[in-house]
Amino acid sequence: MTAQPSARERLLDAADDLAFTQGVAATPVDEILRRANVAPATLYAHFGNKEGLIVSALQRRLARWDALWQQEIDAAPTPEAKLLAVLPAIRRFRDDASAARWCAFLGVAAESAHPGQPLKDALAGDTKLLTSRLRELSVPVAGAGGAGLLAEQLVLIFTGVLGMILRGMDTDDAVVVGIGTAEAVVEAARGRSSRHDA
């Protein structure tokens, strides 16, 4: 017999399934409590309030994304493939995670005009991971001087892929288009790096 997830995990799962699909503001606490099958006191004991639950759900989601993306990087055979691994990782993550409409972080950020500091920090953590890792992976491809620009371009492509998914484009199709676009950007960056070194 499989053990039931803890109340804390059920609350996180409910936030993932509901708030990141239909929106945080549109998801009443009562609906999350019903889905998790817990009393209000349990939510407040674990997370303090609804925003605390959302922060913890985002942090858990980021840890899962981080681990999955790193697996894709580790499996990639070349520096270019490691750099572009962020795009096929989207496909794998969407297969493994709950069915959020697009990116939970972008969705929550769009809804939260004045987030509290813990929520602001959680949202910033996603951006920091994305930009710092892409910058690090860009160095072998574009050189230290070109890594920052290449990373910014790839963040833009990554965000565009997520936006196209929200607009209704099939995830696989969006990832394929994103990879093609990213390959062209990487090739241009390699050309700039070669001219700079010459």
Side-chain angles (χ1 to χ4, degrees):
M1 183 176 172
T2 305
Q4 185 181 21
S6 68
R8 185 178 192 281
E9 288 300 308
R10 295 200 309 275
L11 282 162
L12 290 169
D13 290 342
D16 225 33
D17 292 342
L18 297 170
F20 298 156
T21 301
Q22 58 195 26
V24 174
T27 305
V29 171
D30 288 349
E31 189 175 354
I32 293 172
L33 294 173
R34 275 194 302 275
R35 174 68 68 89
N37 194 27
V38 300
T42 304
L43 184 150
Y44 300 122
H46 284 288
F47 304 106
N49 55 29
K50 181 182 177 183
E51 185 169 301
L53 171 62
I54 297 303
V55 167
S56 292
L58 287 171
Q59 290 169 338
R60 184 180 74 161
R61 198 172 181 90
L62 184 60
R64 289 175 174 174
W65 162 248
D66 182 10
L68 189 148
W69 181 14
Q70 189 61 56
Q71 288 172 8
E72 289 287 322
I73 293 167
D74 293 343
T78 66
E80 291 84 357
K82 290 180 184 302
L83 180 57
L84 297 181
V86 67
L87 295 167
I90 293 174
R91 182 188 300 122
R92 271 195 60 203
F93 188 76
R94 286 184 64 80
D95 288 344
D96 291 354
S98 73
R101 292 175 62 218
W102 61 321
C103 171
F105 289 86
L106 292 175
V108 173
E111 283 192 81
S112 307
H114 306 289
Q117 194 61 48
L119 182 54
K120 191 182 292 186
D121 291 345
L123 295 171
D126 175 59
T127 302
K128 182 179 179 184
L129 173 65
L130 187 62
T131 56
S132 62
R133 183 171 289 165
L134 286 174
R135 191 176 297 115
E136 178 186 319
L137 293 170
S138 292
V139 172
V141 175
L149 174 60
L150 179 55
E152 288 174 0
Q153 291 171 320
L154 292 173
V155 169
L156 191 61
I157 293 166
F158 175 87
T159 305
V161 168
L162 296 172
M164 291 308 294
I165 293 168
L166 179 63
R167 288 179 177 270
M169 191 174 194
D170 177 77
T171 298
D172 288 341
D173 293 342
V175 168
V176 167
V177 172
I179 290 171
T181 306
E183 286 172 342
V185 167
V186 167
E187 187 58 34
R190 287 183 73 83
R192 288 192 300 270
S193 178
S194 298
R195 289 193 298 275
H196 180 73
D197 293 342

